């Protein structure tokens, strides 16, 4: 399964937006509605935004490594060559 390279930046932006909306609900608004606690909703949104932000960073920072090993048996002396390739999710494979 390949994760689209746009998921990392989208997650970071979504996380920031959730934190901002949560902070506005918690600290800037002073609404009183029966049965609705805007402070709690704001804290939940800020926590969810932080989690989404961290997941976005992890997805952007991880690297993939592939190893290719070639064995050549040409009689008396055989050779082995190994190539390592490291890519980030935003590079095409």
């Amino acid at each position: 399964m390949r994760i689209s390279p746009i998921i990392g930046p989208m997650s970071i932006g979504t996380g920031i937006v959730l934190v901002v909306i949560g902070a506005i609900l918690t600290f800037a608004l002073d609404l009183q509605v029966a049965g609705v606690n805007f402070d709690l909703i704001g804290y939940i949104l800020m926590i969810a935004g932080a989690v989404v932000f961290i997941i976005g960073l992890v997805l952007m920072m991880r690297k993939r490594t592939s190893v290719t090993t070639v064995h050549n048996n040409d009689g008396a002396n055989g050779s082995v060559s190994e190539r390592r390739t490291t890519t980030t999710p935003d590079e095409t494979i």
Side-chain angles (χ1 to χ4, degrees):
M1 180 175 95
R2 187 168 194 282
I3 297 175
S4 174
I6 196 126
I7 297 244
M10 283 181 55
S11 297
I12 291 173
T14 303
I16 291 171
V17 167
L18 287 175
V19 169
V20 168
I21 292 172
I24 290 170
L25 285 175
T26 302
F27 303 116
L29 294 180
D30 189 23
L31 298 174
Q32 301 295 327
V33 177
V36 179
N37 187 348
F38 285 108
D39 288 343
L40 180 61
I41 294 172
Y43 284 124
I44 291 171
L45 286 175
M46 285 191 287
I47 292 169
V51 169
V52 169
F53 181 80
I54 291 169
I55 290 172
L57 282 179
V58 168
L59 288 177
M60 281 190 57
M61 296 299 174
R62 75 177 183 169
K63 293 184 178 183
R64 298 179 186 179
T65 302
S66 64
V67 177
T68 304
T69 305
V70 178
H71 297 276
N72 292 329
N73 290 328
D74 56 353
N77 55 355
S79 64
V80 176
S81 63
E82 184 174 288
R83 183 179 74 186
R84 292 185 181 270
T85 307
T86 303
T87 58
T88 56
D90 58 348
E91 297 174 2
T92 57
I93 296 176

